[in-house]
Amino acid sequence: MSLSSVPAAHGPSAPAPTSHAAADRRAVAARPAAARPAAARSAAARTEPESTGAEAIVRSLDMLGVTDVFGIPGGAILPTYDALMDSPRIRHVLVRHEQGAGHAAEGYAAATGRVGVAMATSGPGATNLVTAIMDARFDSVPLLAITGQVSSEALGTDAFQEADIVGITVPITKHSYLVTEASEIPGVLAEAHRLALDGRPGPVLVDITKDAQQGTAPFVWPPEGHDAPAASTAKVSRSQIRRAADEIARADRPVLYVGGGAVRAGAAAELRELADLVGAPVVTTLMARGILPDSHPLNLGMPGMHGTVPAVLAMQRSDLLVAIGARFDERVTGDRAQFAPDARVVHIDIDAAEISKLRHAHVPIVADARTALPELTRALRSRDARADLGAWWSFLDGLRQEYPLGFSPTSDGRIAPQHVIQRIGRLTGPEAIYTAGVGQHQMWAAQFIGFERPQAWLNSGGAGTMGYSIPAAMGAKVAVPDRVVWAIDGDGSFQMTNQELATCAMNDIPIKVAVINNSSLGMIRQWQNLFYGRRYSNSDLGTGQDTVRIPDVVRLAEAYGCAALRVEDESEVDEAIGTALAINDRPVVIDFVVSADAMVWPMVPQGVGNDRIRYARDHEAAFGDGV
């Protein structure tokens, strides 16, 4: 192991437009309730002297409680950047790529539950945000993307750096707005910020023309409707709660199936109270790791393609699934026709569109989990008798004993990547925040780090976005600077957004980065090994031991102003992690050179039922009658 010598760090409205024609776009430009004439506004609204649209953007963000923005300036957003210089309360983090701004805003939001804000210019600046916007939509992350746009008279003329970003993002946002008047800005931003959080969280885009930023109008705050009650406060159907309680009380093999929606709802305490009362096993999806502590005796771990055998087979054998903020995606269910054939379903979700979309819900409950779970707990307490779960737990405890989560020594004598990740978790502890890219390292991190609290595990679940880890860690560290933040990345994901290490170094954001370097696109290589006759087509990267080492991870990290280490022997792992934890004045990057032959197990091959889960390469877990 070597430590580089590094100098000190540097200090809902009108439908969104989809047509590219200028006349059409002007006709349907967003005009929310908050942008109505002054006479229609709340009497409590305060009108102040005229300000420019750019000043109104900054002022509105300040009034909404935004303290941090990630972005890059460009011509169409430059008036706003000029106004931003005068804000004493909003910190702007200058990223190196707009995708990094989007993922940083995601990490910020996921770590706190607050809206993350990303800003970019028109054309390619805006389109570079699209991946992060899609990612936030999949994973229900409250993201506000503000983009500059060419002046309104140039719309539809193919002007320099013009792109119909509203039309592009309509399918992947909760709403996309086009603002062409300075007077609309406070109302639109207030509504967009609220919409990002309300109901099922998600991304909202506000595209603001340059002349709207340069124009002037009286600044009115608060806009009309700004203090309306949130959807999450809506009442829960008592009859449906009673039906759900009846289902749970008579179930012999219940499972609480908890997804990321429960995390977004902030329902950890409510979930734990329900679980302790019912005594049923709990499985937490990739997006919900930590909402029930891994150390809790009811927690069977993660279900799905790379879930634990007890979690996967518990769902498969259950007679009742209580889905809480989960969406029955194919990575959890496997072949849906064969998934949990005997299970009835209670489905609690704030998004009505998710209920019975992929699996029929016998008891649908459209509600915020934090509101619904206490109601369900109270209903269950009033019941004198519930089914005895002794036989069910006997079966599950047998699975736990027979199929513990673990890993085998590597075939080439190099470091086992699972060991590295496990040691990072144990030496750092559960109070840290861990982000991951996408691939094998993501699954190993989900498996081998012990998560004891929600919002400690941030990753790209639905979209599977390589490059998420480093900028998301950066955003999380800005949001929660007192927590240690680790970005656990693969050498493939690392190369997609590592330029944000410069952002971290220049802005005193001391994240820790563990590059799990197997010199390949590891999950692609695993599938090629298992399903394509070991034909490794375009999956070798040349970054590891006995390769050309392009790039050299240590030298690259040094160039970005980071402390850098390389670990090639298992005996050096703990020392390197300890060194990284002791450095807090700049980012640290550790190049862990690991075996390329390590695989993620257990695994349910794509397209088969979950009863076909493979514990290891030649070991298919037995699925018998059991109970």
Side-chain angles (χ1 to χ4, degrees):
M1 178 188 74
S2 61
L3 173 62
S4 62
S5 177
V6 181
H10 300 285
S13 303
T18 57
S19 171
H20 192 59
D24 289 344
R25 293 182 68 180
R26 291 192 186 101
V28 296
R31 299 188 187 275
R36 293 172 188 161
R41 296 188 186 107
S42 167
R46 184 175 69 254
T47 301
E48 298 188 2
E50 288 200 350
S51 64
T52 67
E55 292 167 341
I57 293 171
V58 176
R59 184 86 179 274
S60 298
L61 292 175
D62 187 18
M63 298 296 283
L64 289 165
V66 173
T67 56
D68 302 276
V69 175
F70 304 88
I72 305 179
I77 196 68
L78 207 52
T80 298
Y81 270 83
D82 184 65
L84 198 56
M85 282 196 71
D86 297 326
S87 173
R89 287 183 288 271
I90 297 177
R91 174 190 185 185
H92 180 273
V93 177
L94 176 62
V95 299
R96 297 305 185 264
H97 191 282
E98 291 89 353
Q99 183 180 348
H103 292 322
E106 282 191 278
Y108 185 100
T112 62
R114 292 155 56 191
V115 175
V117 182
M119 194 175 290
T121 193
S122 62
T127 59
N128 280 342
L129 282 175
V130 168
T131 296
I133 291 171
M134 178 191 69
D135 193 277
R137 180 61 168 166
F138 261 109
D139 291 343
S140 305
V141 178
L143 171 67
L144 175 57
I146 300 173
T147 54
Q149 182 56 275
V150 300
S151 291
S152 55
E153 71 272 9
L155 289 171
T157 67
D158 293 331
F160 176 68
Q161 290 194 335
E162 180 189 4
D164 182 6
I165 193 61
V166 168
I168 290 169
T169 58
V170 161
I172 56 172
T173 58
K174 294 184 72 174
H175 199 79
S176 292
Y177 300 84
L178 174 63
V179 179
T180 60
E181 300 287 343
S183 60
E184 298 176 347
I185 288 171
V188 172
L189 286 177
E191 183 171 299
H193 186 274
R194 176 186 168 190
L195 184 57
L197 284 169
D198 199 14
R200 179 178 179 174
V204 180
L205 178 129
V206 180
D207 193 33
I208 308 174
T209 61
K210 190 169 185 178
D211 55 326
Q213 297 172 59
Q214 294 171 324
T216 60
F219 182 81
V220 180
W221 197 273
E224 182 184 4
H226 181 51
D227 56 353
S232 59
T233 63
K235 292 183 178 179
V236 184
S237 169
R238 291 185 178 179
S239 64
Q240 293 300 87
I241 289 292
R242 287 194 295 269
R243 289 181 60 200
D246 289 342
E247 293 280 355
I248 295 171
R250 62 173 170 257
D252 294 314
R253 303 186 303 278
V255 173
L256 303 186
Y257 160 38
V258 186
V263 176
R264 299 288 183 253
E270 293 77 7
L271 170 67
R272 185 165 186 164
E273 184 179 10
L274 175 65
D276 287 340
L277 174 65
V278 175
V282 179
V283 300
T284 57
T285 68
L286 179 66
M287 296 306 299
R289 301 287 290 114
I291 191 165
L292 186 72
D294 281 349
S295 59
H296 194 288
L298 298 178
N299 195 338
L300 296 184
M302 185 172 70
M305 178 176 280
H306 293 295
T308 69
V309 172
V312 171
L313 294 187
M315 294 185 78
Q316 197 69 359
R317 191 73 178 100
S318 67
D319 64 358
L320 177 68
L321 291 173
V322 182
I324 306 166
R327 57 191 183 91
F328 292 91
D329 67 281
E330 81 285 353
R331 288 297 172 106
V332 167
T333 66
D335 181 359
R336 291 195 184 98
Q338 302 179 55
F339 174 67
D342 300 325
R344 292 176 62 81
V345 173
V346 173
H347 195 167
I348 301 171
D349 204 293
I350 200 167
D351 185 356
E354 288 295 341
I355 295 180
S356 294
K357 182 175 79 173
L358 299 174
R359 175 70 179 244
H360 173 69
H362 300 86
V363 184
I365 299 176
V366 181
D368 178 73
R370 192 172 182 179
T371 303
L373 294 183
E375 296 286 342
L376 183 55
T377 300
R378 280 192 286 271
L380 281 163
R381 287 192 195 280
S382 68
R383 280 155 174 77
D384 296 329
R386 290 195 296 272
D388 182 359
L389 303 184
W392 183 220
W393 273 110
S394 178
F395 170 69
L396 297 175
D397 286 339
L399 293 177
R400 279 174 158 170
Q401 185 173 357
E402 187 173 358
Y403 301 108
L405 193 61
F407 55 92
S408 302
T410 59
S411 59
D412 56 9
R414 293 180 181 161
I415 304 173
Q418 302 97 319
H419 173 75
V420 171
I421 293 170
Q422 188 175 66
R423 296 306 296 163
I424 289 173
R426 288 180 178 175
L427 293 174
T428 307
E431 293 304 312
I433 293 173
Y434 303 87
T435 72
V438 169
Q440 288 179 312
H441 67 278
Q442 175 192 23
M443 296 297 106
W444 288 322
Q447 291 175 332
F448 290 103
I449 293 175
F451 296 105
E452 296 294 308
R453 62 179 190 87
Q455 297 178 323
W457 166 242
L458 316 181
N459 77 126
S460 173
T465 304
M466 294 177 68
Y468 172 91
S469 184
I470 289 175
M474 175 173 70
K477 187 66 175 177
V478 169
V480 196
D482 293 336
R483 292 192 185 274
V484 174
V485 180
W486 275 99
I488 297 176
D489 226 348
D491 45 316
S493 286
F494 174 76
Q495 292 186 67
M496 295 192 175
T497 52
N498 61 45
Q499 69 271 13
E500 301 309 335
L501 290 172
T503 307
C504 292
M506 294 289 287
N507 290 276
D508 299 321
I509 306 172
I511 65 171
K512 326 290 184 187
V513 182
V515 180
I516 308 303
N517 185 355
N518 58 9
S519 197
S520 64
L521 299 170
M523 192 61 83
I524 299 300
R525 181 182 173 89
Q526 176 166 334
W527 281 51
Q528 288 171 335
N529 188 314
L530 295 174
F531 309 120
Y532 293 89
R534 299 184 181 178
R535 290 164 55 85
Y536 301 119
S537 174
N538 292 283
S539 56
D540 291 329
L541 293 177
T543 54
Q545 196 171 34
D546 301 328
T547 71
V548 293
R549 271 201 169 126
I550 298 177
D552 184 313
V553 171
V554 168
R555 293 171 65 188
L556 180 64
E558 290 173 349
Y560 278 132
C562 304
L565 305 86
R566 176 172 289 127
V567 175
E568 296 180 313
D569 190 278
E570 186 175 303
S571 64
E572 301 173 336
V573 168
D574 283 14
E575 181 184 356
I577 295 168
T579 299
L581 291 172
I583 297 174
N584 293 299
D585 63 343
R586 57 201 189 278
V588 184
V589 178
I590 309 178
D591 180 19
F592 287 104
V593 182
V594 301
S595 174
D597 295 332
M599 294 192 192
V600 183
W601 301 108
M603 181 178 183
V604 179
Q606 192 171 30
V608 305
N610 280 354
D611 54 330
R612 298 286 305 278
I613 186 170
R614 295 165 68 173
Y615 183 54
R617 182 175 188 127
D618 300 314
H619 189 168
E620 191 166 296
F623 180 64
D625 292 335
V627 293

